[in-house]
Amino acid sequence: DASYLSPHVNLASRLEAATKQYGVPILFSEEVAKHLSPTLLSLCRLLDRVTVKGSTQPLHVYTWDFQPFTHLSPSTASDESSGGKEEVSGVDALATSMRPGGEWESHCTPEELLLQYGPHTSESFRHLFKQAVEAYLGGPTGEASNWKEATVLLQQCREVRPGDGPSERLLSFVSQHADKDENAPSWWRGFRSLEDK
């Protein structure tokens, strides 16, 4: 099967592994983001611009901030002590909303389902995080980066949402690589290598 040789398999594997680095349940590339409606894309977060091992082409990576919610699980439905409910992530809920053949259990589309459960981040938080990422990346070439401002904004993000994985990850990267004046290093071109698998 030719798909095993596809660069998409490598990219999917790298992004799946990187979810642990960013502390998010899902990451997807700009190629996937292009297929989202403007409404759905506005509810996602651009996290970073990276290259993955085996590729030199930088790509933007995004996440959808799935929220845990109470979901009726067939395995616990008859368990009176738990009330038949368990906390599951939005990712798991989407997976259980599909039949084995790939059809949706409900009559709503995947987009309607995502909009129904929405991200667990507020619009104001996503706007603040977007400003931080823009200051960090500095445009297509990195020339407009302002890591001092990015640091301040990311610290504000951390205050609003303590333990936010993407904010912590970017703060860590910036603090490790900023020059003595807390600016982006001379080699910064608006992306970084995501080598860890």
Side-chain angles (χ1 to χ4, degrees):
D1 186 317
S3 66
Y4 289 111
L5 305 175
S6 167
H8 300 108
V9 174
N10 178 54
L11 176 58
S13 174
R14 300 286 172 183
L15 291 180
E16 191 279 330
T19 60
K20 297 172 189 68
Q21 295 177 32
Y22 289 96
V24 295
I26 188 169
L27 285 175
F28 54 93
S29 71
E30 59 196 52
E31 288 301 314
V32 172
K34 285 182 196 175
H35 297 284
L36 299 179
S37 71
T39 301
L40 267 186
L41 190 56
S42 73
L43 297 173
C44 298
R45 276 201 284 170
L46 168 63
L47 300 186
D48 212 340
R49 189 165 179 241
V50 299
T51 57
V52 297
K53 193 171 185 179
S55 173
T56 58
Q57 184 66 37
L59 59 102
H60 290 97
V61 291
Y62 296 79
T63 194
W64 174 275
D65 294 306
F66 282 100
Q67 59 181 321
F69 60 92
T70 304
H71 174 69
L72 190 62
S73 167
S75 63
T76 59
S78 61
D79 182 356
E80 293 179 12
S81 64
S82 69
K85 297 183 179 183
E86 65 176 325
E87 280 286 299
V88 295
S89 75
V91 174
D92 294 332
L94 287 176
T96 59
S97 295
M98 293 191 77
R99 295 185 180 128
E103 297 175 14
W104 293 95
E105 290 281 4
S106 65
H107 295 290
C108 66
T109 65
E111 179 166 338
E112 290 168 338
L113 190 61
L114 285 170
L115 290 173
Q116 180 180 352
Y117 292 108
H120 68 85
T121 50
S122 67
E123 184 178 348
S124 60
F125 175 80
R126 290 191 303 275
H127 180 71
L128 180 63
F129 187 83
K130 179 182 178 184
Q131 290 178 305
V133 170
E134 287 172 352
Y136 155 70
L137 293 177
T141 63
E143 291 177 4
S145 66
N146 183 337
W147 280 18
K148 282 183 182 178
E149 180 183 352
T151 299
V152 169
L153 293 168
L154 287 166
Q155 287 170 342
Q156 290 174 14
C157 288
R158 189 169 57 184
E159 289 170 15
V160 173
R161 290 187 58 78
D164 179 62
S167 299
E168 296 290 350
R169 180 67 177 156
L170 295 182
L171 276 169
S172 174
F173 179 80
V174 167
S175 69
Q176 288 175 15
H177 297 284
D179 66 17
K180 61 181 175 62
D181 297 318
E182 300 179 26
N183 294 314
S186 59
W187 51 262
W188 181 246
R189 297 293 177 267
F191 65 91
R192 65 188 188 89
S193 175
L194 189 66
E195 294 293 345
D196 301 322
K197 183 172 180 180

